[in-house]
């Protein structure tokens, strides 16, 4: 039940929140980003269409990956909705679907879209629509733990350090526990149900495992779904999890924490490992 910052595992939940809104006909991920973020703009040196919400979800929007000037802070938080504004004077790196480029900023925009489509604060919406129905009672996108007494200390180079605020909230601010994330995995294996609660339909869960970038030659054999990595998980010094079925996973790193969550949905088997040191990634 110990709580950790889980970093980019957060992205899976932002994608699930978006897909729940798709099921409810409140969001269309094939629409351009500006359809949901009025005034969204950026510069480009090529003629290409604007990325869609779906492009944000599998890191093919072609936008800058990060805004490190406001990524981590120690005391004052920066609203994640400021990320869209920060793009106005920046150039896109690539046209959409040109090549995979991991993009924290894109998933932050995705969270902004979720907030606008839901008509509700992002933290409140995810708590009520996802975490509470799944029995994840101590989990939140807020940078503050729901139960401070369960929060682990973080260690930077073997020394205890103060926690950092993760400002691109939808991309990496979640605080959760092994037991809460186990409830999430059980929900996935039950086709999107947790007890009597329906978090998402089985078709939606399956769609999230489906590769989105099969038509992108520069991606070679790398595959990414909606919020999930679908290839490239090496464990135990280079042993690759190559099963016949889906291997869906995501890792996470903040200044003081490292994590990984992986599921084999066809076997209904999953694992999550959370660590509270900056050196734990390996």
């Amino acid at each position: 039940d110990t709580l950790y910052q889980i970093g980019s595992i957060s992205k899976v939940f932002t994608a699930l929140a978006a897909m729940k809104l798709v099921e409810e006909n409140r969001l269309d991920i094939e629409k351009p980003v500006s359809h949901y973020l009025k005034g969204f703009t950026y510069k480009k040196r090529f003629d290409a269409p604007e990325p869609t919400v779906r492009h944000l979800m599998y890191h093919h929007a072609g936008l800058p990956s990060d805004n490190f000037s406001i990524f981590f802070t120690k005391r004052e938080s920066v609203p994640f909705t400021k990320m869209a504004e920060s793009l106005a004077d920046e150039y896109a790196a690539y046209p959409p679907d040109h090549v995979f480029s991991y993009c924290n900023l894109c998933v932050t925009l995705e969270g902004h879209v979720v907030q606008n489509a839901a008509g509700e604060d992002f933290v409140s919406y995810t708590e009520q629509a996802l975490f509470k129905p799944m029995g994840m009672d101590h989990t939140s996108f807020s940078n503050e733990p729901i139960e401070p007494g369960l929060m682990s200390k973080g260690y930077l180079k073997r020394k205890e350090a103060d926690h950092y605020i993760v400002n691109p909230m939808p991309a990496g601010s979640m605080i959760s526990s092994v037991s809460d994330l186990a409830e999430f995995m059980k929900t996935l294996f039950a086709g999107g149900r947790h007890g009597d609660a329906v978090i998402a339909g089985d078709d939606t869960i399956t769609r999230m495992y489906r590769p989105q970038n099969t038509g992108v030659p520069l991606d070679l054999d790398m595959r990414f779904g909606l919020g999930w990595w679908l290839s490239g998980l090496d464990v135990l010094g280079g042993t690759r999890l190559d099963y016949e079925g889906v291997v869906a996973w995501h890792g996470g790193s903040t200044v003081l924490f490292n994590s990984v969550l992986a599921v084999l949905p066809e076997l209904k088997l999953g694992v999550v490992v959370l660590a509270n040191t900056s050196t734990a990634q390996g």
Side-chain angles (χ1 to χ4, degrees), residues 4-14 66 71-72 80 83 102-105 107-108 111 122 140-143 164-176 250-255 257 259:
Y4 303 77
Q5 285 183 334
I6 66 170
S8 287
I9 296 175
S10 306
K11 293 177 172 66
V12 175
F13 291 88
T14 297
D66 293 290
F71 200 105
F72 294 115
F80 75 87
M83 297 292 176
Y102 191 80
C103 185
N104 285 298
L105 195 151
V107 178
T108 305
F122 180 77
S140 176
F141 269 98
S142 171
N143 275 284
Y164 286 76
I165 297 168
V166 183
N167 288 307
M169 189 176 282
S173 72
M174 268 181 64
I175 291 174
S176 191
H250 216 296
S253 295
T254 65
V255 178
F257 295 83
S259 58

Side-chain angles (χ1 to χ4, degrees), residues 52-262:
T52 65
V53 177
R54 186 168 66 92
H55 286 127
L56 302 177
M57 299 173 75
Y58 67 105
H59 303 281
H60 280 73
L63 299 174
S65 296
D66 293 290
N67 184 336
F68 283 119
S69 66
I70 52 176
F71 200 105
F72 294 115
T73 51
K74 278 197 169 182
R75 292 177 179 83
E76 297 296 325
S77 62
V78 179
F80 75 87
T81 52
K82 293 286 185 183
M83 297 292 176
E85 297 175 17
S86 73
L87 271 174
D89 294 321
E90 301 296 333
Y91 282 89
Y94 314 104
D97 270 337
H98 180 71
V99 67
F100 173 85
S101 181
Y102 191 80
C103 185
N104 285 298
L105 195 151
C106 295
V107 178
T108 305
L109 295 176
E110 179 192 342
H112 196 169
V113 167
V114 166
Q115 177 168 281
N116 286 359
E120 186 179 349
D121 172 74
F122 180 77
V123 173
S124 299
Y125 175 72
T126 50
E127 285 183 358
Q128 297 307 314
L130 302 182
F131 303 140
K132 296 299 182 185
M134 283 192 282
M136 301 175 68
D137 294 332
H138 295 108
T139 297
S140 176
F141 269 98
S142 171
N143 275 284
E144 297 296 327
I146 289 176
E147 193 163 337
L150 291 177
M151 188 70 199
S152 58
K153 297 177 180 179
Y155 291 85
L156 181 63
K157 298 179 180 178
R158 299 178 181 268
K159 294 183 179 180
E160 185 180 331
D162 292 334
H163 287 187
Y164 286 76
I165 297 168
V166 183
N167 288 307
M169 189 176 282
S173 72
M174 268 181 64
I175 291 174
S176 191
S177 67
V178 166
S179 55
D180 274 14
L181 291 167
E183 295 302 319
F184 167 60
M185 290 189 282
K186 290 194 296 186
T187 304
L188 295 177
F189 303 150
R193 303 182 69 93
H194 191 282
D196 294 331
V198 179
I199 312 304
D202 193 19
D203 289 346
T204 292
I205 301 297
T206 301
R207 182 182 178 188
M208 293 178 70
Y209 299 140
R210 193 171 298 140
Q212 301 294 305
N213 61 322
T214 52
V216 183
L218 288 177
D219 285 355
L220 304 178
D221 62 349
M222 192 282 295
R223 293 293 175 259
F224 208 96
L226 294 173
W228 289 104
W229 286 95
L230 299 175
S231 59
L233 179 58
D234 294 325
V235 295
L236 301 176
T239 301
R240 178 160 290 196
L241 286 178
D242 278 333
Y243 287 84
E244 289 298 318
V246 170
V247 180
W249 68 280
H250 216 296
S253 295
T254 65
V255 178
L256 308 178
F257 295 83
N258 284 278
S259 58
V260 66
L261 182 150

